[in-house]
Amino acid sequence: MTAELASAELAERVSTAVAAVTDPELRRPLGELDMLRGVEVRGAIAEVAIALTIVGCPAADRIERDVRDAAASVTGIEAVDVRIGVMSPDERKALTEKLRGGRAKREMPFGPDSLTRVIAVTSGKGGVGKSTVTANLAVALAARGLRVGLVDADVHGFSIPGLLGLVDTDGLPPAPTKIDDLILPPVAYGVKVISIGMFLRRPGEEAAGAVAWRGPMLHRTVQQFLTDVFFGDLDVLLLDMPPGTGDVAISVGQLLPHADVLVVTTPQAAAADVAVRSGLVARQTGQRPIGVIENMSAMTLPDGTLLDLFGAGGGEAVARALSSENDDVPLLASVPLSSVLRAGGDDGRPVVIASPDDPAARAITAAAAALAVRPRGLAGKPLRLGV
């Protein structure tokens, strides 16, 4: 074999290896994203040219490292020279069109025809641990191999980034990468996450800024999260809803009338009574309550006695109130009070991963298993054959 043929064969093998490298934000191979510009091999040295999506791409270092490792893994390559460029405006436009799958700009990807199961997690009032339950459910579902997205729709009280450890050294959520008007959600524990907290960075301050918006702005924000964020192909999209039945609940009911609803309550009657209302309002918009999770239920003390600090029976009461002759709404889990669950939320390490044997973790994992048994399906979905 001539030296030219040997170099050409090596270059082809390096191209194959590099093309399979996954972009950590888009979660697709570089070859599929047209980010591989070319490969040349001179002796045992591979020269690889790639194009990043934007200037200052936060994933640049990881992509360069993964490309270098992939090229170096090819037998016969002893050194790798990675040359990094940036896509042109036309190339970015073509990429965003490809990622949208040919859909028009700002078109809802989670409509009734979508195979993604949408679950809105609601509560009647704040302080019941709804966000903590939602974050852990998302991570537990992802751990089962599902592709999971999470929208922090609690615009005024956003806490999902912190619960999932999506904060940088100054304690603020990272700003998402944007490719033109397409937003790439950060990923934590296999879950793609978007939150208004990621857009309120104020350097030098210890916390993200507050949001003082009313109806139209809230509706627009939720709509943008659902249309402008590139989640890709999801099995499940969770929405962490704000407490109550206000503007965001109404907007989600309008934008996602086919969504399922999971109601979170505590055992006490005061929380349970209000939680029922969130399920009833969701049903009025066409959404369907599918289950109840009771948080802060009785915990077992070291001597074996139970401490029901917030009473008992609230979850069962909500489930009964939302059930009907033709639509059973089960109590999916009772999550006991847990200092480990609380600490995991403060540290950004979900208890279902950090301490899977904790009683709270086992209860949430069981709820995730119950939700996961209903896979995506084609029943009731139009098949666009020949389109």
Side-chain angles (χ1 to χ4, degrees), residues 32 67 117 163 175 215 227 240 294 305 355 363 374 382:
E32 181 181 327
V67 165
R117 187 182 186 191
L163 290 168
T227 57
D240 182 39
E294 180 185 80
T305 60
S355 302
R374 180 184 172 188

Side-chain angles (χ1 to χ4, degrees), residues 188-206:
Y189 302 99
V191 179
K192 297 180 179 180
V193 184
I194 197 69
S195 170
I196 193 63
M198 299 172 180
F199 301 88
L200 301 176
R201 296 180 60 84
R202 296 177 180 175
E205 296 189 2
E206 295 182 357

Side-chain angles (χ1 to χ4, degrees), residues 134-355:
T134 305
N136 277 275
L137 270 178
V139 173
L141 287 167
R144 297 180 66 86
L146 299 180
R147 291 165 291 189
V148 182
L150 175 52
V151 172
D152 188 357
D154 193 351
V155 177
H156 294 120
F158 54 88
S159 56
I160 290 295
L163 290 168
L164 292 176
L166 282 172
V167 293
D168 51 25
T169 54
D170 59 5
L172 296 178
T177 300
K178 293 184 65 177
I179 304 177
D180 294 340
D181 59 358
L182 198 67
I183 301 170
L184 306 184
V187 180
Y189 302 99
V191 179
K192 297 180 179 180
V193 184
I194 197 69
S195 170
I196 193 63
M198 299 172 180
F199 301 88
L200 301 176
R201 296 180 60 84
R202 296 177 180 175
E205 296 189 2
E206 295 182 357
V211 176
W213 296 341
R214 294 203 290 186
M217 286 292 289
L218 295 174
H219 180 89
R220 176 64 175 154
T221 299
V222 174
Q223 187 176 46
Q224 280 194 283
F225 282 171
L226 295 172
T227 57
D228 292 356
V229 177
F230 176 68
F231 285 105
D233 186 24
L234 296 179
D235 295 301
V236 180
L237 176 68
L238 293 171
L239 285 84
D240 182 39
M241 300 290 291
T245 55
D247 290 318
V248 173
I250 295 171
S251 292
V252 170
Q254 293 172 340
L255 295 168
L256 300 167
H258 58 288
D260 293 333
V261 172
L262 183 64
V263 179
V264 178
T265 184
T266 58
Q268 64 188 118
D273 290 345
V274 183
V276 172
R277 298 172 203 165
S278 67
L280 294 177
V281 168
R283 186 172 276 155
Q284 290 173 10
T285 67
Q287 298 172 332
R288 186 172 72 91
I290 57 168
V292 176
I293 291 182
E294 180 185 80
N295 192 31
M296 305 183 194
S297 62
M299 69 181 298
T300 303
L301 299 177
D303 63 1
T305 60
L306 291 179
L307 174 63
D308 53 353
L309 189 62
F310 294 102
E316 293 179 347
V318 174
R320 284 195 306 269
L322 294 177
S323 294
S324 65
E325 187 175 326
N326 299 318
D327 189 13
D328 179 55
V329 179
L331 176 62
L332 294 178
S334 290
V335 183
L337 283 166
S338 168
S339 61
V340 178
L341 174 63
R342 190 274 308 161
D346 291 341
D347 297 338
R349 301 180 66 241
V351 69
V352 294
I353 295 294
S355 302

Side-chain angles (χ1 to χ4, degrees), residues 108-118 233-234 258 376-377 381-382 384:
M108 169 64 71
F110 303 111
D113 296 349
S114 171
L115 295 180
T116 299
R117 187 182 186 191
V118 180
D233 186 24
L234 296 179
H258 58 288
R376 302 189 304 175
K381 307 286 192 301
R384 299 179 179 180

